[in-house]
Amino acid sequence: MVDSSGKKENRLCIVSLIGKSTLFEQQCNKSWKLNQLIQMPSFKEHSIIDNEDDFEYYYDHLNNTIYVHLRSFHDTYQLLHLIDNINDDTSIKNFAQLWENKQANFIKKSLICFLLSHIIIISHSSHTFDLNYLRFFRIIELLRHKTKPAILETIRSLNLFKETDIYMNDGRLCVPRALFIFENHHHKGTDIPGGGDRDDDQKLINMAHNLEDIIFNALRCSYIISNQM
């Protein structure tokens, strides 16, 4: 990282990836996006034996960056594994309770990402914004405020930060930036007679701008972001 004077700073950056993988990634998960970002196969892209929700980490010592991947039942291969277990295991009788437990575990682990990360990448399995994330963001914010006293006490015990820095970030190590990644756009150049690559690129740009407007308006109308944020 470089400061305003042009000198290189030895500051740590944490980038987290949460969200969903596509239906077509039945034997893979969304971690390939991080592998593509750091240009090396640091995360396992294929299904693994342990199908529990968990974190994967990779430390890029050259850029002093920690990449975090949250595996969850939102990854297609884990969801398929869960369905297979439900079909085979007669002890699992209440699917609604199981799903609720999975959701709760996902939110708890996502909260850790929001408390520690500088950048959070939220993966979508399609080209449309999932409105369920509005409820997800509200729950995360509610949990963050409820756990704030315990978090502040833990941060103080580390003796790594100034008191003003702790309060400036409202009990977080930093205020994270959220980036949304979308997949499987429905437009293809072959679908449009006479459509060329330039037309395809422009349509993708227009689609991206439309998504930005939709997300911003949805977050504003839900009071998840405000003029002060």
Side-chain angles (χ1 to χ4, degrees), residues 6-17:
K7 296 181 180 179
K8 188 173 182 180
E9 292 184 316
N10 190 28
R11 292 186 179 180
L12 178 67
C13 179
I14 301 177
V15 180
S16 296
L17 173 63

Side-chain angles (χ1 to χ4, degrees), residues 13-14 16 111-119 172-174 176:
C13 179
I14 301 177
S16 296
L111 176 62
I112 296 175
C113 293
F114 276 86
L115 290 173
L116 298 179
S117 303
H118 297 83
I119 299 173
R172 295 167 289 193
L173 297 184
C174 60

Side-chain angles (χ1 to χ4, degrees), residues 33-49:
K33 298 169 185 175
L34 286 180
N35 288 340
Q36 192 175 72
L37 177 64
I38 59 182
Q39 297 183 347
M40 61 184 305
S42 301
F43 293 91
K44 295 179 180 178
E45 297 183 7
H46 299 282
S47 56
I48 53 180
I49 297 176

Side-chain angles (χ1 to χ4, degrees), residues 136-146 170 172:
F136 168 78
F137 290 140
R138 284 194 289 266
I139 293 175
I140 289 291
E141 187 65 8
L142 177 63
L143 289 177
R144 190 178 69 81
H145 283 291
K146 284 189 174 182
D170 199 20
R172 295 167 289 193

